[in-house]
């Protein structure tokens, strides 16, 4: 290799090394969230002495967190890549409808455990394949056709939602076998099984985004797509994987939701769409792409769930919960901008 080639490649290598160190290192500062969450816990404990900080309340929060958490993970990966997936709720609902239809209509009455297990596996596989197909189509439209992710996922959201409503006539499908219900309602010791699954999936996504080549490339694509392409990375493949992974996480959320409600519907969890974006941004994910930590998202989800549970115990309106979530987001953004302005002033001074 000539000296000129070494000179040309050194800056790119140094830049990539720096990006990898940033992703693997401390990442975004979660100190504010670590301070905010205990303060919220203390505030609710004072407002409800002897009734809030109880094992039952904590367990209830762990039962409710996984479905929003999995959907938030499905939103975070596209956000880090510089995109967005508005179809996560529609994808989850359609996968759940397909799986519930198979489980409620195809299992013969009095089926033995082997037959039931086979049909459960078929239903889960069918839902997974459906989500993978949706993710592939979305990724191809974004990566190959070059259509903006907002337009693509808005279109897929509308298409999938329309198909779900048409095929079910707006009705709810129900009737699941006990093994499926155990996923969201069962416990291992004190911990809900669904919460354990969510923690494991979140940890796996953390490893993917910080330790694996695909995760590094997702961050690179979100930081500068053209520069990533010129560095020799197949950005089309990266973007396709982004939306396939997002859809697979939607399938996981669908399994948890249908197990918790023992049913599926075209309009389930519609209010979660904007909340997933709220949780991601509150957790430190850059809405313009390139930066984001699963640890920050996890803390943000804990804060949002604590507020929702506290307001519910205080018998306050769910709309007030949404307003409080929005206020926290605005405060966090304002504090972040103030801190950046202060740091810039110090640097210039």
């Amino acid at each position: 290799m000539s000296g000129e080639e070494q000179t040309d490649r050194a800056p790119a290598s140094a830049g990539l090394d720096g990006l990898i160190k940033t992703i693997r290192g401390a990442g975004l500062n979660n100190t504010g969230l670590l301070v905010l969450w205990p303060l919220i816990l203390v505030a609710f404990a004072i407002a409800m002495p002897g009734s809030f900080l109880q094992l039952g309340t904590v367990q209830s929060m762990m039962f409710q967190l996984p479905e929003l958490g999995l959907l938030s993970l499905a939103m975070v990966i596209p956000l880090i890549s510089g995109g967005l997936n508005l179809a996560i709720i529609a994808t989850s609902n359609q996968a759940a409808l397909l799986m519930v239809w198979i489980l409620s209509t195809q299992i013969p009455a009095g089926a033995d455990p082997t037959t039931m297990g086979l049909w459960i596996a078929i239903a889960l596989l069918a839902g997974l394949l459906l989500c993978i197909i949706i993710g592939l189509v979305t990724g191809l439209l974004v990566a190959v056709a070059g259509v903006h992710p907002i337009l693509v996922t808005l279109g897929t959201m509308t298409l999938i939602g329309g198909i779900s409503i048409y095929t079910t006539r707006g009705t709810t499908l129900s009737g699941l076998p006990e093994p499926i219900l155990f996923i969201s309602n069962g416990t291992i010791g004190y911990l809900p099984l669904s919460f354990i699954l969510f923690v494991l999936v979140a940890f796996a996504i953390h490893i993917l985004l910080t330790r694996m080549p695909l995760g590094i490339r997702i961050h690179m694509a979100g930081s500068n797509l053209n520069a990533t392409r010129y560095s020799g990375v197949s950005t089309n493949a990266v973007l396709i994987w982004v939306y396939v992974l997002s859809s697979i996480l939607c399938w996981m959320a669908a399994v948890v939701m249908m197990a918790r409600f023992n049913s599926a519907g075209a309009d389930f969890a519609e209010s979660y769409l904007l909340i997933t974006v709220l949780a991601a941004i509150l957790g430190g994910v850059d809405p313009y792409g390139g930066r984001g930590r699963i640890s920050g998202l996890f803390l943000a989800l804990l804060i949002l769930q604590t507020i929702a549970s506290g307001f519910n115990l205080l018998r306050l309106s769910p709309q007030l919960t949404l307003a409080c979530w929005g206020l926290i987001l605005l405060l966090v953004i304002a504090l972040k901008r103030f801190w950046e302005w202060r740091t810039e002033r110090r640097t210039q001074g």
Side-chain angles (χ1 to χ4, degrees), residues 82-244:
L84 190 69
N85 190 355
L86 297 175
I88 58 172
I89 307 299
T91 301
S92 294
N93 284 337
Q94 188 165 78
L97 285 168
L98 174 61
M99 291 186 287
V100 173
W101 177 79
I102 293 174
L103 293 171
S104 61
T105 62
Q106 302 303 307
I107 299 179
D112 59 86
T114 302
T115 302
M116 181 177 294
L118 177 62
W119 277 109
I120 289 175
I122 291 173
L124 294 177
L125 182 60
L128 176 60
L129 289 176
L130 174 63
C131 288
I132 290 175
I133 292 171
I134 293 172
L136 277 173
V137 172
T138 303
L140 286 170
L141 289 173
V142 172
V144 179
V147 184
H148 196 283
I150 291 180
L151 296 178
V152 173
T153 57
L154 181 62
T156 53
M157 176 186 71
T158 306
L159 173 63
I160 296 169
I163 292 174
S164 297
I165 294 173
Y166 176 77
T167 54
T168 63
R169 300 299 188 267
T171 60
T172 299
L173 303 184
S174 60
L176 295 171
E178 189 63 32
I180 290 292
L181 299 179
F182 184 77
I183 294 174
S184 279
N185 300 294
T187 59
I188 298 180
Y190 177 77
L191 297 176
L193 176 60
S194 58
F195 182 77
I196 296 174
L197 292 175
F198 164 61
V199 172
L200 292 176
V201 172
F203 182 73
I205 297 299
H206 165 74
I207 295 299
L208 168 69
L209 292 175
T210 59
R211 302 290 176 180
M212 299 181 68
L214 176 60
I216 304 299
R217 290 167 183 167
I218 289 174
H219 282 86
M220 292 172 62
S223 298
N224 192 318
L225 185 62
N226 289 328
T228 303
R229 183 181 297 114
Y230 293 144
S231 69
V233 174
S234 176
T235 54
N236 285 351
V238 170
L239 292 177
I240 291 171
W241 269 112
V242 162
Y243 291 96
V244 170

